[in-house]
Amino acid sequence: MILESKSAKDTFQIGMRLGQMAEAGEVYTLTGDLGVGKTVFTQGFAKGLDIEEAVNSPTFTILQIYESGRLPLYHFDVYRIGSVDEMDETGFEEYMMGEGVSLIEWADLIEEILPEKCTRILIEKELEKGFDYRRITVTVADADRAQQKGCKT
């Protein structure tokens, strides 16, 4: 599914809609260049999980956990990860199988350890369509789940 965002508010709303559909045990990967709106999307996603606390990028801690919503959110930012082996120190596998939802920014850096069935979100700028325009591509690996969410596989 390809969605268009013309503002940070749109990006937030798209994240919120996906967060509202999220279920325990799901993994969402979030990729895109610096400054495309990954944190804004994540803030909307958290709002969709009914998380009221402030959500920021956990760049220097790799993992931020939010437990105040209808499901826990395990928010990873692996931008500064030195190697895939460092992910073991975070308890990465336990979170992937946990009771919450995992959202991983810069997931392309740890591609080899991602679960096969995850929802991939790519945010891209298209400056010819305007400074604030973003194309958000959502791809769900699980065909049944994709159909429920109205996404492509």
Side-chain angles (χ1 to χ4, degrees):
M1 167 170 55
I2 296 177
L3 305 165
E4 294 184 307
S5 170
K6 296 178 181 165
S7 67
K9 182 179 177 185
D10 287 351
T11 300
F12 182 94
Q13 291 293 324
I14 291 167
M16 189 170 81
R17 284 197 316 256
L18 284 173
Q20 289 168 337
M21 292 186 279
E23 295 179 7
E26 290 185 329
V27 176
Y28 291 78
T29 66
L30 190 53
T31 55
D33 292 335
L34 282 170
V36 295
K38 291 183 296 294
T39 299
V40 170
F41 177 93
T42 301
Q43 290 166 340
F45 192 90
K47 183 71 171 173
L49 290 171
D50 299 325
I51 294 169
E52 296 297 327
E53 61 193 286
V55 173
N56 297 300
S57 183
T59 299
F60 296 104
T61 58
I62 299 175
L63 171 65
Q64 188 72 277
I65 301 171
Y66 302 94
E67 298 183 286
S68 63
R70 67 177 177 83
L71 293 169
L73 173 60
Y74 311 127
H75 179 201
F76 292 87
D77 184 329
V78 298
Y79 182 71
R80 297 193 192 291
I81 199 95
S83 72
V84 172
D85 295 332
E86 280 184 54
M87 292 305 290
D88 288 335
E89 296 172 21
T90 68
F92 182 72
E93 284 187 35
E94 290 80 27
Y95 290 110
M96 297 302 107
M97 295 178 239
E99 297 177 6
V101 178
S102 298
L103 189 143
I104 308 161
E105 291 189 46
W106 299 99
D108 51 323
L109 299 175
I110 59 165
E111 186 72 38
E112 60 267 30
I113 63 169
L114 292 173
E116 187 177 312
K117 291 185 177 182
C118 58
T119 299
R120 297 177 184 274
I121 300 155
L122 171 64
I123 304 177
E124 299 171 290
K125 290 182 181 180
E126 286 189 31
L127 293 177
E128 61 276 0
K129 292 187 177 183
F131 181 77
D132 293 324
Y133 179 88
R134 303 293 187 266
R135 180 178 57 228
I136 301 174
T137 305
V138 181
T139 307
V140 183
D142 181 342
D144 293 334
R145 191 73 180 122
Q147 191 172 30
Q148 290 174 0
K149 290 186 179 192
C151 300
K152 65 182 180 177
T153 57

